[in-house]
Amino acid sequence: MITTRRRFLSITAAALAAPSAAMAAQTAHWQGRAMGAPARLAIAGLSPDAARPVFAAIEAELERLEQIFSLFRPDSSLSWLNRSGRLVAPPPELLDVLLLADRLHHASGGVFDPTVLPLLEVGTFGHARAKVFGLIGWDKVYIDPREICFAKTGMALTLNGIAQGYINDKIADLMRARGLTDVMLDIGELQGIGQCPLHRPWQARIFATDGAYEDHIVLRNRAVSTTRPFGGLRPGGGDHVVCPDGHTPFHSIVTVSAPRAAVADGLSTALSLIPREETLAVVAQFPGARIEMIR
């Protein structure tokens, strides 16, 4: 079960937009793109001038990671794997994501399955879908540090239900490595490190599918992700969620928080296709993860 594109998060981080001149003066803001979608970041306690080399490092890291995970770049590692069915000496970042995907696959009873890309590509056409069902199955993917390969010609992976969170984590790690302890990231998912200016916690607001305010979450060294499989408030909003066995989502919105954005991302994707009574057992397999909203 994977989404076709970056999800429309039904969570907004109010602290990313500095509410006062005093706060703005001590917060550096970056805006750009990641995996084809808008991205932004705020660093408390850093002037815009001091932030320039940091922002250059962010952009370089995003470029490097997209060269691994993007489905829209024909020369990315993932595109090479999908095209040839085999990738020798895969990047360690790709191995990291596939190993987490394996954990999520087993924890979710198989509904989290990156091999559903052929189903996404044929859409709802019944005859075409019947032809590609034989290409679906996580057990047909061989993963080794020396090589990743598929058991059948025509198989392909999409990592859109987990890679955005992983990229968010890598940028967060980059910030920590540079000694930046108070950062808010909106890169695929939301993640707060430390606190915002004036010693206030970073917060994310959660909205239901009808736009009604539900609650807020304090994001102190924590990430949050939302999946909306039936669409959102914006035209074309929401996620395109596909389960390997063809059944439809159980929930209209799932929000999960966790210490790592990749885990929150993967769990929010997987839980949308899991009955409510089974969700807590799945989340319990990932220390620190928590369901914030499920409808």
Side-chain angles (χ1 to χ4, degrees):
M1 173 193 66
I2 303 294
T3 59
T4 55
R5 56 184 170 76
R6 179 186 183 269
R7 64 204 57 212
F8 165 52
L9 287 170
S10 58
I11 307 168
T12 58
L16 278 171
S20 67
M23 186 177 289
Q26 54 185 319
T27 306
H29 294 265
W30 172 86
Q31 293 189 22
R33 296 189 70 80
M35 297 291 280
R40 54 185 180 160
L41 177 147
I43 306 174
L46 195 67
S47 71
D49 285 343
R52 286 196 185 99
V54 177
F55 293 163
I58 290 171
E59 290 167 1
E61 180 70 348
L62 288 173
E63 172 66 21
R64 185 183 74 85
L65 293 168
E66 289 204 25
Q67 195 60 34
I68 297 172
F69 294 110
S70 176
L71 282 173
F72 301 101
R73 296 188 176 192
D75 58 344
S76 74
S77 300
L78 184 57
S79 293
W80 274 106
L81 173 61
N82 285 345
R83 189 164 52 247
S84 66
R86 180 171 179 259
L87 184 66
V88 177
E93 294 84 359
L94 183 57
L95 287 170
D96 286 346
V97 170
L98 292 182
L99 291 175
L100 178 56
D102 186 68
R103 286 184 62 201
L104 287 160
H105 176 80
H106 290 291
S108 67
V111 299
F112 189 96
D113 191 334
T115 66
V116 298
L117 183 58
L119 283 175
L120 292 169
E121 292 177 336
V122 300
T124 59
F125 300 102
H127 182 66
R129 288 173 70 87
K131 285 187 174 181
V132 302
F133 266 115
L135 303 177
I136 309 305
W138 187 243
D139 60 332
K140 301 181 181 71
V141 181
Y142 175 78
I143 304 169
D144 185 90
R146 296 164 296 183
E147 179 184 62
I148 303 167
C149 61
F150 302 146
K152 290 189 175 183
T153 301
M155 291 182 65
L157 303 181
T158 173
L159 299 174
N160 284 2
I162 188 172
Q164 289 93 335
Y166 181 81
I167 290 171
N168 186 301
D169 286 331
K170 295 296 285 185
I171 299 301
D173 292 342
L174 177 64
M175 297 298 95
R176 293 185 180 98
R178 286 177 166 262
L180 299 169
T181 58
D182 300 304
V183 185
M184 184 70 179
L185 303 93
D186 183 3
I187 301 175
E189 317 301 339
L190 290 176
Q191 182 168 184
I193 302 172
Q195 58 191 2
C196 69
L198 306 181
H199 307 291
R200 297 173 182 170
W202 300 110
Q203 293 186 2
R205 293 179 293 177
I206 305 177
F207 296 89
T209 52
D210 62 359
Y213 172 75
E214 286 277 338
D215 201 354
H216 72 273
I217 307 170
V218 172
L219 294 180
R220 182 176 283 114
N221 302 317
R222 195 165 186 84
V224 64
S225 174
T226 288
T227 294
R228 305 169 62 144
F230 296 114
L233 300 174
R234 298 176 179 176
D239 305 300
H240 187 177
V241 177
V242 175
C243 185
D245 66 6
H247 75 70
T248 56
F250 287 96
H251 314 290
S252 61
I253 185 168
V254 180
T255 299
V256 176
S257 68
R260 300 289 284 179
V263 172
D265 189 6
L267 281 174
S268 72
T269 305
L271 295 186
S272 68
L273 279 171
I274 294 174
R276 182 184 293 269
E277 62 270 17
E278 299 175 16
T279 55
L280 289 177
V282 175
V283 173
Q285 298 178 61
F286 296 86
R290 181 170 67 235
I291 297 173
E292 301 291 351
M293 180 171 64
I294 188 164
R295 298 282 189 274

